[in-house]
């Protein structure tokens, strides 16, 4: 179903939430950064109005195939909440935050976590990182009248999903990353390409866009394998790619890519003979450090997001000294700030009210770059345009960023890429 345009979005949310017969139940601590305790699903019916305190929930990976993305995402949210509360909070009160684990699609952790957050009267939930996980819980979240705001979902499905006007994201849809990756493959002189993609909304959607871009650019996708990421063995899948002898292989997946890489090497398709290309889902520096040095040397990959400024990285390290990866930290930081500013603009912490103001605070007004600067303008009666660390973040009618940046990275002989500095950054219009 096509998403509802701004005015219709607001009406749809009001209509949906007015049907709720009971208020959101469940108690809990008032500590702003405490993880929420357990609560049964039955204690979290839909809320109809705010209670004057902005409560954020995080639904981010502490376990599962994207657990490597958890630390920078949590750090980004925590930094934003710290700065927001230091600036006086939202609606005159400190922001509350409750953290939960999103897990992955092999478990029911995300659904249980959402129940906990709804029981804690979350007005907005930041997450999940995985598109498939978000897809599995979006109905429960928006059905409760709560904003779902992902810093990392890239599946194109969310552009047209039936979300009651309550879903937003700071990460760009895969059609932009797919175009950038496809263009890169062509520019590198590859006229025959193999694609190995995990079979889910993220993998197949991104593979479709890469395949289209490569084909439009005059190259041929000689073989494409959409595989089960839970498979114990990928030898037959890799053999299909090898049989077509492509010059380049695109690997679209999560941490199972480690097994695929090992199989490529085993079957005589190492990175120094066949060009490998990766994507944000499998570009973890931690994944490949135990492999022989040079295994990934020269491998290129794409990652949504502009460069993280050094000052921002320094602040993140004050939040989490163990951080080695800053992926999606800017998007997470911006998500929390935008929700808080929308609540201020709406003079309400209710999810439906926040949703109607997210587009407004992201474009068309006086530019500002942090919560304190922006909220001072709001209190002075000014219209604002929040330009975030991750980019301008101007939402279109679908709740997607209208313009976004994709970084192109390259692995060295140590099987790592420099997450703080890309080979280049390419900025494009999502609809282009």
């Amino acid at each position: 179903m096509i998403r509802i345009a701004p005015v219709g979005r607001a009406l749809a949310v009001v209509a949906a939430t007015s049907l709720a017969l009971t208020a959101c139940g469940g108690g809990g601590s008032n500590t702003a950064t405490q993880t929420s305790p357990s609560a049964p699903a039955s204690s979290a019916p839909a809320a109809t109005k705010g209670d004057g305190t902005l409560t954020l929930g995080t639904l981010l990976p502490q376990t599962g195939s994207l657990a490597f993305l958890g630390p920078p995402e949590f750090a980004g949210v925590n930094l934003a909440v710290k700065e927001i509360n230091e600036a006086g909070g939202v609606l005159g009160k400190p922001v509350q935050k409750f953290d939960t684990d999103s897990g992955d699609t092999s478990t029911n952790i995300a659904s249980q976590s959402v129940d906990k957050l709804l029981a804690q009267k979350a007005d907005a939930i930041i997450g999940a990182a995985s598109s498939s996980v978000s897809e599995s819980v979006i109905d429960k979240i928006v059905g409760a009248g709560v904003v779902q705001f992902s810093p990392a979902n890239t599946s194109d499905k969310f552009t047209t999903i039936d979300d009651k006007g309550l879903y937003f994201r700071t990460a760009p849809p895969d059609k932009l990353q797919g175009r950038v990756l496809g263009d890169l493959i062509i520019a590198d002189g590859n006229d025959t390409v193999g694609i190995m993609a995990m079979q889910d909304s993220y993998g197949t959607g991104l593979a479709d866009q890469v395949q289209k871009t490569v084909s439009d650019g005059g190259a041929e996708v000689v073989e494409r394998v959409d595989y089960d990421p839970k498979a114990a063995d990928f030898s037959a899948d890799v053999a299909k790619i090898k049989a077509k002898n492509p010059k380049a292989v695109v690997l679209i997946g999560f941490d199972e890519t480690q097994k695929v890489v090992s199989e490529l090497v085993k079957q005589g398709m190492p990175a120094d003979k066949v060009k490998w290309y990766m994507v944000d889902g499998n570009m973890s520096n931690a994944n490949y450090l135990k492999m022989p040095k040079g295994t990934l040397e020269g491998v290129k990959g794409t990652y949504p997001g502009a460069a993280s400024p050094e000052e921002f990285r320094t602040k993140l390290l004050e939040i989490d000294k163990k951080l080695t990866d800053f992926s999606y930290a800017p998007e997470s930081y911006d998500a929390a700030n935008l929700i808080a500013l929308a609540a201020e603009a709406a003079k309400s912490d209710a999810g439906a009210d926040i949703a109607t103001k997210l587009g407004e605070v992201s474009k068309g007004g006086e530019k500002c770059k942090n919560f304190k600067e922006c909220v001072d303008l709001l209190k002075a009666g000014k219209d604002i345009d929040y330009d975030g660390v991750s980019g301008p973040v101007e939402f279109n009618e679908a709740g997607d960023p209208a313009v976004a940046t994709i970084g192109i990275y390259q692995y060295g002989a140590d099987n790592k890429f420099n997450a703080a500095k890309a080979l280049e950054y390419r900025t494009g219009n999502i609809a282009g």
Side-chain angles (χ1 to χ4, degrees):
M1 181 180 292
I2 300 299
R3 292 176 58 117
I4 305 166
V7 174
R9 286 163 61 114
L11 293 175
V13 173
V14 171
T17 55
S18 66
L19 294 176
L21 299 179
T22 54
C24 182
S29 168
N30 289 326
T31 304
T33 57
Q34 181 175 337
T35 301
S36 78
S38 298
S42 59
S43 66
T48 59
K49 60 182 180 179
D51 59 7
T53 297
L54 178 62
T55 301
L56 299 180
T58 62
L59 180 68
L60 298 169
Q62 298 172 353
T63 61
S65 57
L66 287 183
F68 72 94
L69 291 179
E73 290 174 341
F74 279 112
V77 175
N78 290 342
L79 175 59
V81 171
K82 174 178 179 289
E83 293 178 350
I84 291 165
N85 286 340
E86 287 175 349
V90 173
L91 305 174
K93 297 181 180 179
V95 173
Q96 289 194 96
K97 180 179 69 69
F98 299 98
D99 295 327
T100 66
D101 181 17
S102 62
D104 58 27
T105 54
S106 68
T107 69
N108 193 42
I109 290 174
S111 181
Q112 296 171 22
S113 292
V114 169
D115 290 338
K116 294 176 185 178
L117 294 175
L118 295 181
Q120 291 297 326
K121 300 184 181 180
D123 302 301
I125 293 176
I126 298 175
S130 162
S131 293
S132 292
V133 170
S134 283
E135 194 174 355
S136 73
V137 295
I138 187 171
D139 288 346
K140 180 180 288 190
I141 295 172
V142 303
V146 171
V147 168
Q148 181 176 0
F149 198 135
S150 175
N153 287 167
T154 59
S155 171
D156 292 331
K157 284 188 176 183
F158 293 105
T159 299
T160 55
I161 203 165
D162 180 13
D163 63 359
K164 297 179 172 61
L166 291 170
Y167 176 88
F168 295 81
R169 54 179 165 182
T170 36
D174 281 325
K175 56 187 175 182
L176 179 59
Q177 183 178 187
R179 291 203 307 267
V180 170
L181 183 55
D183 288 342
L184 174 65
I185 292 166
I186 296 296
D188 284 350
N190 302 293
D191 55 11
T192 55
V193 180
I195 298 176
M196 288 194 64
M198 66 184 296
Q199 195 167 26
D200 76 344
S201 60
Y202 167 76
T204 56
L206 185 47
D208 288 344
Q209 185 60 58
V210 172
Q211 184 168 356
K212 181 181 185 302
T213 303
V214 166
S215 299
D216 289 348
E220 180 184 3
V221 175
V222 293
E223 184 64 68
R224 172 174 164 176
V225 177
D226 290 7
Y227 61 81
D228 177 2
K230 298 174 185 147
D233 177 77
F234 296 95
S235 58
D237 298 320
V238 170
K240 290 178 183 177
I241 299 291
K242 181 181 180 181
K244 298 299 177 67
N245 194 31
K247 291 182 179 178
V249 176
V250 182
L251 304 175
I252 301 173
F254 292 156
D255 60 359
E256 81 286 347
T257 303
Q258 297 172 71
K259 296 179 181 179
V260 177
V261 163
S262 295
E263 193 62 39
L264 285 168
V265 173
K266 182 179 178 181
Q267 295 197 28
M269 301 178 69
D272 59 356
K273 291 185 179 180
V274 179
K275 293 178 183 177
W276 299 351
Y277 295 86
M278 294 187 177
V279 292
D280 58 312
N282 53 23
M283 285 189 68
S284 166
N285 276 329
N287 278 350
Y288 312 106
L289 293 181
K290 294 181 180 179
M291 292 184 174
K293 287 187 177 181
T295 299
L296 270 75
E297 185 172 9
V299 174
K300 294 180 181 178
T302 49
Y303 226 117
S308 296
E310 184 176 353
E311 180 183 0
F312 179 68
R313 297 198 303 272
T314 299
K315 289 181 179 180
L316 288 173
L317 288 170
E318 292 173 359
I319 298 293
D320 183 351
K321 295 179 181 179
K322 296 180 181 179
L323 275 185
T324 57
D325 188 340
F326 302 94
S327 303
Y328 292 116
E331 287 81 2
S332 303
Y333 174 84
D334 289 343
N337 277 326
L338 282 160
I339 292 167
L341 291 169
E344 279 283 350
K347 295 181 171 47
S348 168
D349 63 294
D353 297 332
I354 291 170
T356 64
K357 293 294 184 179
L358 276 167
E360 184 178 304
V361 300
S362 75
K363 60 186 175 183
E366 188 170 337
K367 290 189 179 297
C368 50
K369 295 188 176 181
N370 59 59
F371 178 80
K372 177 67 167 63
E373 183 183 342
C374 293
V375 80
D376 286 348
L377 290 172
L378 282 174
K379 290 178 178 178
K382 303 287 183 66
D383 183 20
I384 65 167
D385 178 359
Y386 175 80
D387 276 4
V389 180
S390 66
V393 199
E394 295 189 357
F395 292 117
N396 60 22
E397 291 185 356
D400 295 335
V403 177
T405 299
I406 305 292
I408 298 172
Y409 298 85
Q410 185 166 358
Y411 283 86
D414 58 355
N415 296 334
K416 295 172 63 178
F417 68 95
N418 185 350
K421 186 177 181 181
L423 291 176
E424 63 174 298
Y425 294 95
R426 298 185 184 180
T427 299
N429 191 303
I430 300 301

